[in-house]
Amino acid sequence: MNMKMQSVGFKADKKLEAFINQKLSKLNKFDNNISDYIVTLNIENSDPKANKVVEVKVNVPGNELFARKQSNSFEAAAELVADALRIQILKNKEK
């Protein structure tokens, strides 16, 4: 599994990167064919409290899955993204 992470407008610390890596690596138990994750962390000004955004693109053979969640912390948004991707992965495997 390959993971590319970029943060827009700030430098993500190693603890946050490790947390997101841990959450997303759990998705591999649902599909062993996941080739890579592309993670983008962003801070939006549209909502003063829930302004942390996590976007993840997952490449699986024959398909590309995407989830974007916004919350008051990157950790909470990462958990929401992982849950959304888990559902998408399971639906994709049923096809």
Side-chain angles (χ1 to χ4, degrees), residues 32-85:
N32 294 332
N33 297 320
I34 296 173
S35 59
D36 65 338
Y37 297 95
I38 301 170
V39 181
T40 305
L41 307 175
N42 197 358
I43 299 175
E44 286 191 351
N45 294 330
S46 60
D47 186 344
K49 291 185 181 180
N51 64 346
K52 311 297 190 294
V53 178
V54 176
E55 297 178 350
V56 179
K57 192 182 305 184
V58 178
N59 291 314
V60 294
N63 208 350
E64 185 176 271
L65 309 175
F66 179 79
R68 179 186 192 276
K69 297 294 178 183
Q70 186 169 337
S71 188
N72 59 347
S73 72
F74 285 115
E75 291 83 0
E79 288 182 17
L80 294 171
V81 163
D83 289 342
L85 286 172

Side-chain angles (χ1 to χ4, degrees), residues 13-36:
D13 64 352
K14 297 292 180 193
K15 185 177 164 185
L16 176 60
E17 290 179 5
F19 178 84
I20 292 172
N21 189 16
Q22 175 209 6
K23 286 293 177 189
L24 295 180
S25 64
K26 289 181 180 180
L27 296 175
N28 288 335
K29 67 182 176 184
F30 300 107
D31 191 342
N32 294 332
N33 297 320
I34 296 173
S35 59
D36 65 338

